[in-house]
Amino acid sequence: MNKKISILVITIAIIILLRCIFDSNENIIYIVAGINIVAIVFVLYTIIEKILDDIIDRIKKSEVPLQIIKREIKNTQLKIWGWTIAFSAVVIVWYFLYACSGLGNDIISILALGISVLDDEIIKKITEIYRI
């Protein structure tokens, strides 16, 4: 956990520095969009890690052979990370090409904050829904 906190602190410091440096840049909307996307990706990464930990614990507690457990863990990780990365990439590219604006940036920052506040409930719901 301390490693994640140090990475977060360093990332926040770099983001603040970049925001201050490029404040008068004409492409500030894209810079802020990048900052907000980094924030929401970090929040989603921590949530996905917690979801995977919960699902892996459920798989390990099942009474199946170790070989099947290892296969299920690998498949679960591939499914969750694969879909998440593919969906995120499509949304990020679409946002930068078609919807990047000050309002869009505000919406992304509010979403990142809201998701981070509700992360425990999100993790609980998704792990309940996910079938092993």
Side-chain angles (χ1 to χ4, degrees), residues 12-106:
I12 289 172
I14 291 170
I15 287 171
I16 291 171
L17 179 67
L18 288 173
R19 177 70 168 99
C20 292
I21 290 172
F22 294 112
D23 190 41
S24 61
N25 191 316
E26 62 187 38
N27 293 322
I28 193 69
I29 291 175
Y30 296 105
I31 295 166
V32 173
I35 291 170
N36 289 336
I37 288 172
V38 167
I40 201 162
V41 165
F42 184 81
V43 169
L44 291 175
Y45 169 78
T46 58
I47 289 174
I48 290 169
E49 283 295 316
K50 290 177 185 176
I51 290 170
L52 280 173
D53 289 343
D54 288 352
I55 292 172
I56 288 171
D57 286 343
R58 283 179 40 200
I59 292 171
K60 286 181 179 178
K61 289 178 184 175
S62 65
E63 297 178 8
V64 294
L66 183 62
Q67 191 174 22
I68 295 173
I69 289 175
K70 288 180 180 180
R71 185 187 70 214
E72 286 301 313
I73 289 172
K74 182 179 176 184
N75 287 342
T76 300
Q77 289 174 328
L78 285 173
K79 274 192 244 177
I80 291 175
W81 280 115
W83 281 107
T84 302
I85 291 170
F87 179 74
S88 298
V90 169
V91 170
I92 289 169
V93 168
W94 174 83
Y95 180 73
F96 273 110
L97 292 177
Y98 301 110
C100 193
S101 66
L103 176 62
N105 290 337
D106 292 342

